[in-house]
Amino acid sequence: MQDWIKITLILCSFGMLREIRPSEPFVTEFLLGEWRNITEDQLNREVYPIGTYSYLALLVVVFLITDFLHFKPVIILSGVSGILVYAVLLWTSSIQWLQVSQFLYGLYMATEVAYLTYIYAKVDSAKYPVASSYTRIAALSGRFLSGVSSQLLTHFELMDYRQLNYITLIAQILATFWAFWLPPVPYGIYFHRQSIDNTFQVDYTKTDDKSHSCPTDTVKDTFIRNVKNAAFLIYKHARLAYTRPKVLVWSALYAATLALFVQTQTYIQLLWKQIQKGTDSPVVYNGAVEATQTLLGAVGSFASSHLTRALYPGLAGVAQGTAVFLGAFIDNVFVSYAGYIVMGLLYHYIITLASAKIACQLTDESCFGLIFGINTLVGTGLQSILTVVLIQSLSLNITSQYFSISGLFVILAAVWILGLMLHGCKQKRINAAAQY
C-alpha cells in the first residue's frame, strides 16, 4: 500500500471518530434538562458565547503552533481537548464548569485546523484533491452516524440526553488513540522549512549582530531566525494570494458565509426549544435533522463542481435568508427544521465552491493551508462580532436573533449580486474600449 493511502486512511479514521458526537444534536436539551440548574437565557448569553470567543482567541495561536510543532502534537491535543470537554459535561453541574467546558470546546474546534491542514504538509501535492475529498467524506460520515444514532437511541428511549455523552467521550478517546499512529511531519510548512524563497529569506550576514553568522548559534538565535524566516514566508504567500482580486472576493464570501452558518448552527436548538414550548411532550427530532442536513450537505458539496457560475452563490444566499426567516417566523418546529436543512445544504454548496475558486488561483502548494486558516479566522471573527452585537449588546430574544441573521444572509447575497453586476458593466466598458 502506498504511503499516502496509509496516511489518508489513518487521518480519515481520526476524523470520523472525532465527528462521532451523538450528544451534540441534543446538547441544549441536555444542558437545560434535569441534570443542571440553568435557564435558557443563561445558556444563550453566558455559556455559548464563551465557546465563540475562545475559538477566535485560540485559532490564530493554534494555527502557528500547529506548524511549529509539526502538526501531530496538535492533532493529539485536539483529541485530548475533546476528552476534557465531555468529561466536564458529564461529571460537573455548575455554570462555572459549564463555561470551562465551552473554553475547552473553543480549543477543541481551534485544533481542528491541524487535522485539516496535515494533508498539505504530509501528502504529495498531486494527491491533495483525492486525499482532501476522502478526509471530508470521513468527517461527514461521522456526523451522519452521530445524527442517526442519537435520534434512534433517544427515540426508542435506549439512552437519555446525558448518556449520549458517554458515546461521544469514548469516540474522542479512540480518536486520540488513532492520532498517535499518524506519521510525524519532519518539518512545518513555514517553520523549520527545508527551503525558503531567497527573496524573502533574511540575510543574517549583513546584520551587526555577529552571533547570527557564527556557526555555534545558540538555541535562541536559531529560534529567532526560524521565526523571522517563517514570518517572511507567511507574508509572501498571503500577499501573493490576497492581491489577486478573485482570491480576495471569494475569500470574503467564504468568511461571511462561514460566520452566518456557525451563528445559525450554534443557537438553533434554543430556537427549536422555544417553538416547542407550548407543545405537550414534544418529540425532538434534532438528531434526524442533523443527519439529513449532513447528507444533503454532501450533495451540496458535489453540486458545487457542476453549478459553478458566480451568480449562483448570490441566489443561494437569498434562499438561505428566506429559509432562516420562515423557520423563525412560522410557529412550527418542522418548518424550522426544514429551513435549517435548506440553509445547511446551500452553505456546503457555497463554501465548497468558494474553496475551489480560491484553490484554482493559488500556485504555491503550501499556500492553500494558510489562506484556509486566515479565511477561517476572519469568519470566526465576524461570528464573534455577531455574538457581541445580537446577543450581548442588543440583547435580542432568540426569534429576533434569527430574523436578524436572515436579513444578513439577504444583504450578503445582494452585495454579491451587485458586485457581479458592477464587474459585468466594467468588463463591457473594457471590451468596448478595446474594439476602438
Side-chain angles (χ1 to χ4, degrees):
M1 185 181 292
Q2 297 181 38
D3 285 343
W4 77 271
I5 297 178
K6 293 179 182 178
I7 293 169
T8 303
L9 287 176
I10 296 173
L11 195 64
C12 286
S13 299
F14 170 84
M16 186 174 73
L17 287 167
R18 187 181 185 276
E19 294 299 327
I20 295 179
R21 304 195 293 266
S23 56
E24 286 209 347
F26 298 97
V27 64
T28 297
E29 298 289 336
F30 163 57
L31 296 179
L32 295 176
E34 61 188 274
W35 305 277
R36 273 183 168 80
N37 183 21
I38 184 174
T39 66
E40 291 182 30
D41 189 66
Q42 285 178 306
L43 191 60
N44 185 32
R45 304 187 195 284
E46 299 179 32
V47 177
Y48 282 159
I50 290 178
T52 297
Y53 301 147
S54 65
Y55 180 27
L56 174 63
L58 293 167
L59 184 58
V60 63
V61 177
V62 167
F63 181 75
L64 295 176
I65 290 177
T66 294
D67 193 81
F68 185 76
L69 297 180
H70 301 179
F71 297 85
K72 183 175 177 177
V74 182
I75 295 177
I76 294 172
L77 175 62
S78 179
V80 171
S81 60
I83 294 171
L84 293 175
V85 168
Y86 295 100
V88 170
L89 287 177
L90 276 167
W91 293 300
T92 66
S93 58
S94 69
I95 189 171
Q96 290 78 17
W97 274 109
L98 194 54
Q99 291 170 330
V100 169
S101 76
Q102 282 297 298
F103 175 82
L104 292 170
Y105 190 76
L107 175 63
Y108 178 64
M109 296 307 296
T111 51
E112 186 180 28
V113 72
Y115 161 69
L116 295 171
T117 55
Y118 175 91
I119 284 290
Y120 305 112
K122 191 63 180 174
V123 176
D124 184 81
S125 58
K127 303 297 182 183
Y128 282 174
V130 177
S132 296
S133 65
Y134 286 164
T135 54
R136 185 174 181 81
I137 290 169
L140 290 173
S141 298
R143 293 175 200 169
F144 178 75
L145 288 173
S146 295
V148 172
S149 61
S150 63
Q151 189 63 56
L152 292 175
L153 289 170
T154 55
H155 182 75
F156 292 106
E157 299 182 352
L158 299 174
M159 282 188 169
D160 59 32
Y161 299 135
R162 181 179 182 276
Q163 290 167 339
L164 291 175
N165 287 278
Y166 286 109
I167 298 178
T168 304
L169 178 62
I170 292 170
Q172 302 311 302
I173 293 172
L174 293 175
T176 306
F177 170 79
W178 274 106
F180 281 98
W181 289 89
L182 283 170
V185 177
Y187 56 90
I189 296 174
Y190 294 103
F191 293 94
H192 312 296
R193 191 176 174 92
Q194 287 183 337
S195 61
I196 297 180
D197 190 281
N198 291 330
T199 305
F200 288 87
Q201 191 169 7
V202 180
D203 187 356
Y204 293 102
T205 62
K206 296 181 180 179
T207 183
D208 293 334
D209 187 351
K210 303 299 183 182
S211 64
H212 286 302
S213 59
C214 179
T216 57
D217 278 354
T218 65
V219 173
K220 180 181 178 181
D221 294 330
T222 303
F223 174 79
I224 293 173
R225 181 167 64 251
N226 209 306
V227 169
K228 287 183 177 180
N229 284 340
F232 272 105
L233 193 58
I234 290 171
Y235 164 76
K236 170 194 171 183
H237 286 169
R239 190 192 69 179
L240 289 175
Y242 289 115
T243 52
R244 298 178 181 180
K246 289 185 178 180
V247 173
L248 189 61
V249 168
W250 284 101
S251 293
L253 178 66
Y254 182 106
T257 302
L258 175 65
L260 291 174
F261 172 77
V262 175
Q263 188 71 14
T264 304
Q265 187 181 54
T266 301
Y267 299 90
I268 194 67
Q269 292 180 32
L270 284 170
L271 176 64
W272 293 339
K273 193 165 186 67
Q274 176 70 28
I275 293 172
Q276 290 181 302
K277 265 189 175 179
T279 307
D280 295 331
S281 302
V283 179
V284 182
Y285 291 103
N286 297 10
V289 171
E290 292 290 351
T292 304
Q293 194 227 62
T294 300
L295 186 62
L296 293 181
V299 174
S301 297
F302 176 77
S304 67
S305 62
H306 299 280
L307 304 174
T308 59
R309 287 186 60 188
L311 176 63
Y312 293 149
L315 300 178
V318 173
Q320 284 180 302
T322 304
V324 172
F325 176 81
L326 293 176
F329 180 73
I330 299 176
D331 196 25
N332 185 303
V333 73
F334 291 100
V335 174
S336 189
Y337 285 157
Y340 175 70
I341 291 169
V342 170
M343 184 279 304
L345 184 158
L346 294 173
Y347 160 78
H348 286 288
Y349 162 74
I350 295 172
I351 213 76
T352 307
L353 178 62
S355 298
K357 294 287 188 181
I358 294 167
C360 72
Q361 295 291 317
L362 304 178
T363 53
D364 191 281
E365 63 185 32
S366 62
C367 197
F368 185 73
L370 173 67
I371 301 307
F372 166 82
I374 293 174
N375 291 346
T376 302
L377 177 63
V378 173
T380 306
L382 291 174
Q383 195 233 333
S384 297
I385 292 172
L386 288 176
T387 302
V388 170
V389 173
L390 299 181
I391 297 174
Q392 298 188 317
S393 295
L394 298 178
S395 298
L396 298 179
N397 61 45
I398 192 66
T399 305
S400 298
Q401 288 176 38
Y402 278 89
F403 288 156
S404 301
I405 292 171
S406 68
L408 290 172
F409 268 119
V410 174
I411 291 171
L412 175 62
V415 170
W416 182 262
I417 293 171
L418 179 61
L420 284 179
M421 293 172 62
L422 293 175
H423 178 71
C425 292
K426 181 180 178 181
Q427 287 299 116
K428 284 183 179 180
R429 287 198 301 269
I430 292 173
N431 293 337
Q435 290 178 357
Y436 293 98

